[in-house]
Amino acid sequence: EAQVTQNPRYLITVTGKKLTVTCSQNMNHEYMSWYRQDPGLGLRQIYYSMNVEVTDKGDVPEGYKVSRKEKRNFPLILESPSPNQTSLYFCASSLTGAEYEQYFGPGTRLTVT
Amino acid sequence: SQQGEEDPQALSIQEGENATMNCSYKTSINNLQWYRQNSGRGLVHLILIRSNEREKHSGRLRVTLDTSKKSSSLLITASRAADTASYFCATDGQTGANNLFFGTGTRLTVIP
């Protein structure tokens, strides 16, 4: 089954404790991206990647890191999480870019206390 | 930010009625996409309309695009309770960058 998976689905952590949210797709997509969703603000893009070793900033990259060492994986790293990063995070992938249909993962709900 | 906006923020209709939601965006685009999200779940792609298209249909969905006004509308005809969800528009930038900008969403409630 073609899908985007994220882990963990739920995470509660404390300020400053490094964490990684994993994202994997099995569709051989070149384009992958991360979004955060906050009430009243819709989805905002954090980072995107056009292919292996190619990443670029989205709308709200501050406080986040990403890497793309393999085509199928695109982890989101929070080196020192803060409470304002409490949010619902989505990973998505598409064939080659933003202009194509995006396939979304199920989401990761992160709470930073 | 180049984020778009949907209007209205919330819409409540009776089953069988039509639902119309609007999206406004800020920059030139290649394509505009509409997505649906059931509460707290991942978004699902509904329809894509290219900048050189004015109208597109898919089942009970009708999308229009007016690039001169930088706006789009999504019409759902003969709504069903199962259409209850949030609907988002998304635009790419025409500049060559591969950012994707989502609107703030319209929350649709269809009352059985």
Side-chain angles (χ1 to χ4, degrees):
Chain A
E1 180 191 354
Q3 60 182 347
V4 178
T5 57
Q6 294 178 228
N7 281 293
R9 295 290 313 281
Y10 303 91
L11 179 60
I12 301 173
T13 190
V14 296
T15 299
K17 186 176 181 182
K18 181 180 178 179
L19 66 92
T20 299
V21 184
T22 65
C23 172
S24 183
Q25 51 92 4
N26 62 0
M27 295 168 279
N28 203 35
H29 285 169
E30 292 184 357
Y31 183 86
M32 297 184 75
S33 57
W34 276 101
Y35 301 85
R36 61 177 289 172
Q37 184 175 26
D38 302 289
L41 296 178
L43 277 84
R44 292 178 293 168
Q45 193 177 46
I46 302 170
Y47 269 96
Y48 66 90
S49 169
M50 295 297 294
N51 214 324
V52 174
E53 302 294 0
V54 180
T55 63
D56 214 336
K57 295 178 181 179
D59 227 10
V60 289
E62 295 78 21
Y64 304 95
K65 283 176 58 176
V66 292
S67 70
R68 188 93 180 270
K69 292 182 170 51
E70 303 167 283
K71 197 171 187 178
R72 62 183 294 128
N73 296 324
F74 190 45
L76 179 69
I77 303 155
L78 284 72
E79 294 269 1
S80 183
S82 62
N84 64 13
Q85 292 179 299
T86 292
S87 188
L88 180 58
Y89 290 87
F90 289 100
C91 179
S93 72
S94 77
L95 199 59
T96 58
E99 72 274 27
Y100 292 95
E101 173 183 352
Q102 306 293 310
Y103 292 80
F104 279 81
T108 295
R109 188 167 292 281
L110 172 66
T111 302
V112 184
T113 62
Chain B
S1 170
Q2 298 179 55
Q3 192 174 31
E5 286 188 12
E6 275 93 344
D7 170 60
Q9 289 188 347
L11 179 61
S12 185
I13 60 174
Q14 296 288 329
E15 200 164 33
E17 294 180 337
N18 295 341
T20 299
M21 50 206 90
N22 304 297
C23 165
S24 60
Y25 57 92
K26 299 180 181 178
T27 65
S28 297
I29 61 171
N30 291 312
N31 304 314
L32 185 142
Q33 304 177 47
W34 283 91
Y35 288 82
R36 166 198 169 116
Q37 182 184 34
N38 287 80
S39 185
R41 303 184 71 175
L43 280 71
V44 175
H45 184 263
L46 294 175
I47 196 165
L48 180 151
I49 186 165
R50 303 193 186 286
S51 59
N52 61 357
E53 297 176 308
R54 292 296 166 257
E55 187 171 313
K56 201 161 183 180
H57 297 253
S58 177
R60 292 184 297 113
L61 305 180
R62 173 178 168 251
V63 169
T64 62
L65 178 63
D66 186 336
T67 53
S68 67
K69 294 181 180 177
K70 292 187 170 58
S71 68
S72 173
S73 68
L74 171 68
L75 168 68
I76 304 174
T77 60
S79 63
R80 305 166 182 169
D83 293 329
T84 293
S86 292
Y87 293 82
F88 296 88
C89 66
T91 55
D92 56 16
Q94 205 180 45
T95 59
N98 260 277
N99 304 83
L100 192 60
F101 301 99
F102 281 82
T104 49
T106 291
R107 174 72 190 166
L108 173 66
T109 302
V110 181
I111 303 165

